Amino acid sequence: MNFHKENKELQSLLDNSSSESTYLNNLNIHVGNNEHENIVKAMRKFGERVLFCTGNRAMRHYGFLDIYLKLFSKFNFRVVYYDNISVNPTLKQMEEGLTVAKEFNPDFIFALGGGSVIDTAKVISVGLFGDIWDFVEKKQEIKKAIPIVASATTSGTGSHVTPYAVITNTDTLQKKTLKHDLLLPKMSINDLDIIKYMPKYIIATTGFDVLCHATEVFTRNECTNIAENFCIKSCKSIRENLVSSYNQDSVKNKLGMIYADIYAGIALALIGTHVPHAISHPISARFQNINHGHSLAYITAETAKKLIEKKNSNLNNKFRFLSDILGGSSDFVRAVNNYKQLLGLNSIHTFNDMDCQLIYEDTLGYRRDSVDRSPVVLLDEDIKDIIFHSLKNDNAKINKGHHL
Ligand SMILES: [Fe+2]
C-alpha cells in the first residue's frame, strides 16, 4: 500500500501502546490508494474461496465491483457475491448471507462497504459455526470464525478496526451488539480511491458517529491514557476536516476523516461508549430509515446537557477540554449543536409520545448495561427527559450557525 505521512503518527501511537493490549497488536491497518492489485494479492494468505460482501450500489456505479471481480479472477480466486445488505442490517439479511456462505464454504470474507456491510461479514464469519442470535444472547459461545478483510467505503463507523458487529432483529425490534476478538478484521483497508466518493449525507452521519465515539470514550470513567490519546487525535482531526470534508471535495480533508475514524474506532474498541449510543440503537431499531449517525445527532447534545447539569467537576472539565479541541469555545453542547447545524443533520422524523415512550423502555430494558456506563449516575427520569426533549423538540434546539 502507499502510506501517507499521517500513517507514521498512527503507527507510532500503535507501537507505543501495543504492549498494553492484544487487540492493538492484532490491528492490521492500511491507508492508501491505487493499490487494488496488491490488496487482492495480500488476501491470498487467507485462501482461495472468497465470499464477497457489498451492499453499496455506488461500488458498482464507480466500477470498484468490476475492478475487484477482475482481480479475483486474474489471481484465480473462487468468488461468490452477496449484496442484499441495507442500512441497519437485519438478522434476516445476515441469515440469508449465511445461507449463501454455507452453500459456498468460503475460506474468508471480503467486505467492501460501510459499517452495515462489514458488520454483516463479521456475523456471517461466526454464524458458520453456531446460531447468530444465540451468540448475541450469550446462550452459545463464539469459538471459531473465518477471516474477514474489510475495505471501508465510509469513514465513520469504525467497524473495520473493532471487534463489534451490530444486528437489528426486526422480530423483537431490537438492535444489539455482538462482541468477540474473532470479529476483528484481519486487514482493515482504508482506500482513498473509494472513500473519496462518499455522498455528502454519509459524510455528515458517519462523521457525527466518529465525533460521538471519540467524545463518549473520552468521558467514560474507565478511559485510559492510551484511549484518551486516540480520542484527542480523533477530535483534532474532526475539527480540521469534518465540516470541510462535507462542504468541499478535498482529498486532504477526506484523508483526515479516515484517520479520525481509525483513531476513534480504536478508542471505541478499547473502552466503549455510553448513553448516546445506548439510546441511539433503540431509535434506529424502531425507525430503520434513521441511520446510526443521524440517531446520535438527535440525542447527543441533550445527553451532554443532562450530564453537565450533574456538576461533576472531573466530567465537566473533560467536556470543556473536548469542546475546546472541537472548536466550541468550552461549551460542549453548543459545539455539538454547531456540528449538527453545519452538517445539515436536522430532524427527519416526527416522533410522538408513544414513540418516545417505547424508545425509553427499550433503553432502560435491553440497553440498560450501556446506560449504566454513564460517567455520572443518571436517573430513569433523566433518561426520559433526554429522549423526550431530544426527539420532540429537535429543530427548536439547533443553534443558529456558529462557525467552528
Ligand atoms: Fe457508533
Side-chain angles (χ1 to χ4, degrees):
M1 299 287 289
N2 288 338
F3 288 105
H4 293 264
K5 191 170 131 264
E6 174 86 8
N7 203 277
K8 286 186 188 148
E9 287 184 52
L10 170 64
Q11 209 47 56
S12 76
L13 211 52
L14 287 172
D15 290 344
N16 292 338
S17 323
S18 59
S19 60
E20 304 286 327
S21 144
T22 315
Y23 156 74
L24 290 172
N25 266 310
N26 287 338
L27 282 170
N28 181 5
I29 301 171
H30 302 265
V31 182
N33 62 312
N34 201 19
E35 292 289 329
H36 303 114
E37 186 158 329
N38 287 341
I39 292 167
V40 171
K41 278 190 202 164
M43 289 188 214
R44 249 299 171 214
K45 60 178 170 287
F46 301 118
E48 61 168 17
R49 299 173 73 84
V50 52
L51 179 69
F52 184 178
C53 289
T54 182
N56 196 336
R57 261 173 274 148
M59 290 304 98
R60 193 184 294 271
H61 176 76
Y62 291 117
F64 294 107
L65 190 64
D66 272 353
I67 287 172
Y68 273 113
L69 287 173
K70 280 179 187 155
L71 286 169
F72 280 133
S73 166
K74 180 176 173 182
F75 292 101
N76 299 316
F77 284 86
R78 295 185 64 188
V79 184
V80 161
Y81 179 68
Y82 180 68
D83 69 348
N84 183 26
I85 303 167
S86 64
V87 173
N88 296 318
T90 66
L91 179 62
K92 285 191 176 72
Q93 287 171 334
M94 290 169 170
E95 285 171 341
E96 190 185 304
L98 187 57
T99 304
V100 173
K102 281 179 175 166
E103 278 171 19
F104 176 56
N105 195 21
D107 297 320
F108 70 99
I109 304 176
F110 177 50
L112 175 67
S116 301
V117 170
I118 297 170
D119 284 3
T120 300
K122 289 175 174 178
V123 169
I124 293 172
S125 78
V126 293
L128 287 165
F129 308 101
D131 183 85
I132 297 169
W133 204 246
D134 279 356
F135 287 144
V136 174
E137 299 284 9
K138 297 193 169 56
K139 292 178 186 164
Q140 231 184 94
E141 199 187 329
I142 293 174
K143 290 186 176 153
K144 211 173 163 190
I146 59 171
I148 301 153
V149 175
S151 178
T153 58
T154 65
S155 39
T157 68
S159 182
H160 53 105
V161 293
T162 71
Y164 306 134
V166 183
I167 307 171
T168 299
N169 186 328
T170 47
D171 292 334
T172 62
L173 288 178
Q174 292 175 322
K175 191 171 171 182
K176 289 195 167 185
T177 304
L178 188 61
K179 183 183 178 193
H180 196 279
D181 291 350
L182 288 171
L183 296 179
L184 180 69
K186 297 281 186 247
M187 284 171 69
S188 159
I189 297 157
N190 299 269
D191 183 342
L192 196 52
D193 287 334
I194 296 177
I195 290 174
K196 72 181 180 190
Y197 289 113
M198 237 194 324
K200 270 189 96 159
Y201 177 67
I202 302 299
I203 292 173
T205 55
T206 57
F208 198 88
D209 191 20
V210 177
L211 188 151
C212 292
H213 293 158
T215 57
E216 285 180 48
V217 171
F218 191 84
T219 48
R220 280 277 300 272
N221 293 333
E222 299 80 1
C223 190
T224 58
N225 290 340
I226 289 169
E228 270 186 10
N229 287 337
F230 283 108
C231 294
I232 293 167
K233 292 280 294 174
S234 180
C235 287
K236 284 182 176 164
S237 201
I238 289 168
R239 181 181 183 173
E240 284 166 22
N241 298 293
L242 176 52
V243 175
S244 313
S245 176
Y246 178 75
N247 284 329
Q248 58 200 335
D249 195 14
S250 147
V251 168
K252 177 185 164 291
N253 294 136
K254 291 193 167 49
L255 189 61
M257 283 311 295
I258 287 176
Y259 283 104
D261 178 33
I262 293 170
Y263 290 132
I266 292 170
L268 173 69
L270 289 170
I271 304 293
T273 53
H274 59 88
V275 180
H277 268 72
I279 303 173
S280 78
H281 283 2
I283 296 173
S284 293
R286 290 192 176 272
F287 302 94
Q288 284 153 29
N289 60 322
I290 301 177
N291 83 11
H292 176 56
H294 210 135
S295 67
L296 287 162
Y298 276 98
I299 223 84
T300 298
E302 202 63 34
T303 305
K305 198 171 147 202
K306 187 63 79 179
L307 291 169
I308 290 165
E309 278 171 15
K310 300 291 177 187
K311 298 192 187 315
N312 177 298
S313 60
N314 184 40
L315 176 62
N316 289 3
N317 283 338
K318 283 187 175 184
F319 275 127
R320 273 191 288 276
F321 178 76
L322 284 171
S323 64
D324 282 338
I325 299 178
L326 289 167
S329 309
S330 303
D331 183 341
F332 185 79
V333 175
R334 196 173 83 166
V336 169
N337 278 329
N338 282 344
Y339 276 99
K340 261 179 79 170
Q341 170 89 7
L342 295 168
L343 296 171
L345 291 173
N346 300 327
S347 179
I348 50 169
H349 183 89
T350 307
F351 295 89
N352 60 34
D353 283 349
M354 181 55 78
D355 297 333
C356 295
Q357 180 64 26
L358 290 169
I359 289 165
Y360 165 68
E361 287 170 13
D362 288 347
T363 303
L364 291 188
Y366 75 92
R367 297 292 287 161
R368 180 94 234 182
D369 285 358
S370 193
V371 171
D372 289 343
R373 293 186 206 114
S374 173
V376 292
V377 174
L378 290 180
L379 306 173
D380 293 359
E381 281 307 303
D382 294 326
I383 298 294
K384 193 167 202 168
D385 278 354
I386 292 169
I387 292 170
F388 277 73
H389 286 161
S390 301
L391 300 185
K392 295 207 71 182
N393 298 317
D394 186 66
N395 280 324
K397 297 232 170 275
I398 299 168
N399 289 350
K400 291 285 175 203
H402 295 277
H403 288 282
L404 296 160

